[in-house]
Amino acid sequence: MKSSFRWYGKDDPVSLEYIAQIPGMRSIVTAVYDVKPGEVWPEESLEWIKNECEKYGLVFDVVESIPVTEDVKLGRGERDRHIDNYIENIKRCAKYGVKCITYNFMPVFDWTRTQLDKKADDGSTSLVMYWDQMKGLDPLKDDIHLPGWDSSYTQDEVRELIKAYQEIGEEGLWKNIEYFLKKIIPVAEECDVKMALHPDDPPYPIFGLPRVITCEKNLDRYLGIVDSPSNTLCLCTGSLGSAKFNDIPSLVRKYSSEKKIGFMHIRNVKILEDGSFEESGHLSKDGTLNMNAIIKALVDTGFDGYFRPDHGRMIWQEIDSNARPGYGLYDRALGSAYINGLIEANGGKIE
């Protein structure tokens, strides 16, 4: 398995120098963040990332993410131009050594949380989604600014997008997913790149938006659209695991044995009685997921792809360093070390 770490580029307070000091660290997961979704990434930006990583003995071979635009998801406007540019970005990433590209098909919002700094008894803070904080909210009537929502949209634009997605519904979204995959997956296969789909976070509808990458049945449907080694999952244990109907160790074992996992996001989550959830420390006892069973499933099935510790808590006053909530250095480094230990204890190896 290949250990990796998310890095947000030159503006990230977590430096490559510090990431390189994490035991077993190999790859950097990043993207070109200053280009509007739907446009082409400059080659000089990709070359700069590659060179910066190599200065610290790290490899730039995972992109997270190349955004899929709303026009592509809705099948309108500039869809074909944006897909053409997406294909060009796949080719350019491959030219600079990228082997795995993560993306998602979540309508409007990449993820939904109600609070980014919920304080635990030990003083750490984490991301949470509490249903009681969602009660009574109607984005078609109210001005809502939840964490994770794209602030570049005006409230009127958000309302228009929500109505557009409600009109096409789940089957309309599936139709547009199929159109997209049939265009990009053959190109990715030619470039020896695995496209790794991130599931919806959380994996159920919110505000009436169709969300389809949510469960085993739908993951099977997605993977079956184009049968290719380049059509894989970014299996996020915390996203799928925030719903009790998903058996995460079982899903990991199934899709890893089928060679359909290109990238693993590994984190724990604590599901509450009403279905709300809190992002927890990585240890099994801190959340709802059996982390050892997840890693054992990967080792038993010979998984040789990329993994990274996903969202961590903010600990040791790191919030004062302006690190992004969930993306500080310390708890993610602890998570990486914990995952390394589980891999070794189960007889696996880290490249």
Side-chain angles (χ1 to χ4, degrees):
M1 300 187 212
K2 303 175 184 70
S3 178
S4 67
F5 211 79
R6 186 81 181 265
W7 179 62
Y8 283 94
K10 63 182 69 176
D11 295 328
D12 195 331
V14 180
S15 69
L16 290 174
E17 178 184 6
Y18 291 167
I19 294 171
Q21 294 172 18
I22 300 170
M25 192 51 59
R26 176 191 186 277
S27 295
I28 288 297
V29 181
T30 190
V32 175
Y33 295 107
D34 59 354
V35 174
K36 183 180 178 181
E39 304 304 325
V40 176
W41 289 0
E43 286 199 39
E44 52 266 32
S45 297
L46 293 165
E47 183 178 28
W48 181 86
I49 295 171
K50 176 181 172 67
N51 291 339
E52 285 298 300
C53 292
E54 289 176 352
K55 287 179 184 178
Y56 297 95
L58 298 165
V59 183
F60 169 49
D61 50 0
V62 184
V63 161
E64 185 178 346
S65 300
I66 302 179
V68 180
T69 65
E70 305 300 335
D71 274 16
V72 172
K73 295 173 188 174
L74 286 165
R76 67 183 189 181
E78 301 230 45
R79 171 171 69 172
D80 288 333
R81 185 180 75 84
H82 287 173
I83 290 177
D84 287 343
N85 288 346
Y86 204 103
I87 287 170
E88 179 61 25
N89 283 333
I90 293 172
K91 293 177 179 179
R92 291 189 179 195
C93 286
K95 179 178 178 179
Y96 288 92
V98 170
K99 294 297 183 182
C100 182
I101 296 173
T102 305
Y103 65 108
N104 72 71
F105 237 84
M106 292 183 241
V108 190
F109 317 116
D110 278 3
W111 48 272
T112 300
R113 301 291 187 274
T114 56
Q115 192 173 344
L116 302 182
D117 57 354
K118 173 63 178 176
K119 196 167 186 177
D121 291 341
D122 63 6
S124 64
T125 64
S126 63
L127 286 67
V128 301
M129 196 192 85
Y130 293 145
W131 281 114
D132 62 357
Q133 294 176 335
M134 298 275 281
K135 286 180 181 177
L137 297 181
D138 184 349
L140 296 181
K141 298 178 181 178
D142 308 319
D143 287 345
I144 300 175
H145 301 279
L146 286 175
W149 289 25
D150 190 338
S151 60
S152 67
Y153 292 134
T154 67
Q155 289 294 310
D156 285 343
E157 287 171 335
V158 168
R159 294 182 183 112
E160 189 277 328
L161 285 170
I162 290 175
K163 290 177 181 177
Y165 279 108
Q166 290 175 343
E167 288 175 5
I168 69 168
E170 288 191 6
E171 286 307 313
L173 188 59
W174 277 115
K175 180 180 178 181
N176 295 332
I177 287 171
E178 180 175 352
Y179 186 91
F180 176 72
L181 287 183
K182 287 183 175 179
K183 293 279 190 178
I184 69 155
I185 295 299
V187 177
E189 189 170 341
E190 289 175 5
C191 294
D192 193 27
V193 168
K194 291 185 183 298
M195 300 300 300
L197 170 76
H198 192 287
D200 295 342
D201 186 6
Y204 36 74
I206 293 177
F207 296 131
L209 288 168
R211 295 164 75 91
V212 299
I213 312 304
T214 56
C215 61
E216 182 175 1
K217 177 184 176 182
N218 288 5
L219 293 174
D220 287 345
R221 179 174 178 176
Y222 198 98
L223 293 171
I225 292 172
V226 181
D227 184 12
S228 166
S230 288
N231 189 21
T232 73
L233 302 173
C234 171
L235 202 153
C236 178
T237 65
S239 296
L240 290 171
S242 59
K244 291 183 178 179
F245 55 73
N246 285 323
D247 181 338
I248 301 305
S250 176
L251 293 178
V252 170
R253 186 171 293 275
K254 172 182 175 174
Y255 294 116
S256 179
S257 66
E258 295 175 355
K259 306 300 180 186
K260 285 298 183 179
I261 300 178
F263 192 18
M264 284 292 305
H265 284 185
I266 302 176
R267 63 179 168 91
N268 208 344
V269 61
K270 183 178 181 180
I271 304 176
L272 307 182
E273 288 188 8
D274 68 347
S276 301
F277 61 88
E278 302 170 344
E279 297 190 359
S280 67
H282 282 75
L283 295 178
S284 294
K285 73 177 186 64
D286 291 338
T288 301
L289 305 183
N290 185 330
M291 304 302 284
N292 186 61
I294 291 169
I295 300 303
K296 179 173 172 52
L298 291 172
V299 174
D300 288 350
T301 54
F303 177 69
D304 61 356
Y306 302 90
F307 72 89
R308 71 168 175 85
D310 204 6
H311 306 167
R313 303 164 300 146
M314 303 305 286
I315 62 175
W316 303 336
Q317 298 183 326
E318 190 171 24
I319 195 68
D320 296 334
S321 70
N322 296 316
R324 290 169 172 80
Y327 284 97
L329 171 64
Y330 304 137
D331 200 46
R332 285 191 297 154
L334 292 176
S336 179
Y338 174 56
I339 295 165
N340 290 352
L342 292 178
I343 291 172
E344 185 173 309
N346 280 288
K349 293 182 179 179
I350 299 171
E351 292 185 20

